[in-house]
Amino acid sequence: MTNAQTAVASATGTAPAGRSAPATAGTGTTLWLTGLPSAGKTTLALALAGVLRERGADVEVLDGDEVRTHLSAGLGFSRRDRETQVTRIGYVAELLARHGVIVIVPVIAPYQDSREKVRAHHDSHGTPILQVHLSTPVEVCAERDVKGLYAKAFRGEISAMTGVDDPYEIPVDPDLRIDTSTLDQETSVAALLGLLLERGRL
């Protein structure tokens, strides 16, 4: 089995109880990429979006940093503010997905209850949502960090850094896990495409 096949095989074959079941192929979907800072979420999101647009899909990427600049200006990094950020992004993602857009959300979303609230909101409107956990180890994320935030957090210069002194609650049952420290970008994108195809979203 190839790396791509291994990654795709880790996606659940059917929607578990309580999750949005696949609807008509080609309709909108939220694809939420959760993981530690510098796990590769935005890189994968943009790469996947490019492939999907080449196929003629209507795609939007809701990047967490960009949303903070516009929709969530003024929010900090307390648990309440982080939850508000995730809730707002989830609302916008669902609205777009409900109208036929494939919405890729490369946002940390560190708390399980916030992620479940987003899923419940999608479920209440019958809008499909898929959750992908980028399980890249914190050591690898710290090495990749071009902003130097991990180094500052390890030195105690900043606080509330997810994965260092603020918790990241690992998803219990995501639709797919991808470790970008062992899978390259092409293989990871193939795994995401495989998940969308498997669930009838393409």
Side-chain angles (χ1 to χ4, degrees), residues 63-193:
D63 178 73
D65 289 341
E66 292 183 2
V67 171
R68 274 191 177 275
T69 300
H70 303 287
L71 184 62
S72 297
L75 288 181
F77 293 92
S78 67
R79 184 175 184 116
R80 176 173 291 183
D81 282 357
R82 290 177 193 266
E83 290 177 339
T84 299
Q85 161 89 336
V86 169
T87 299
R88 289 178 180 177
I89 294 173
Y91 175 84
V92 174
E94 189 282 323
L95 190 62
L96 288 168
R98 197 194 318 168
H99 289 84
V101 179
I102 297 176
V103 187
I104 309 171
V105 185
V107 172
I108 297 170
Y111 309 124
Q112 180 69 23
D113 56 352
S114 298
R115 297 190 295 260
E116 288 304 318
K117 287 177 183 176
V118 169
R119 185 181 291 280
H121 178 69
H122 279 67
D123 288 347
S124 71
H125 291 281
T127 305
I129 180 171
L130 298 170
Q131 182 188 92
V132 177
H133 174 216
L134 299 194
S135 58
T136 311
V138 65
E139 298 82 7
V140 176
C141 294
E143 290 176 1
R144 292 178 176 173
D145 180 20
V146 295
K147 297 178 182 178
L149 297 178
Y150 279 101
K152 290 180 179 179
F154 290 142
R155 291 194 300 265
E157 297 174 7
I158 60 173
S159 59
M161 176 71 180
T162 301
V164 180
D165 62 344
D166 205 72
Y168 176 78
E169 298 171 359
I170 297 174
V172 176
D173 189 24
D175 296 282
L176 180 67
R177 290 190 202 275
I178 295 176
D179 182 349
T180 62
S181 70
T182 60
L183 296 179
D184 62 20
Q185 180 175 299
E186 182 179 358
T187 305
S188 297
V189 169
L192 295 172
L193 287 170

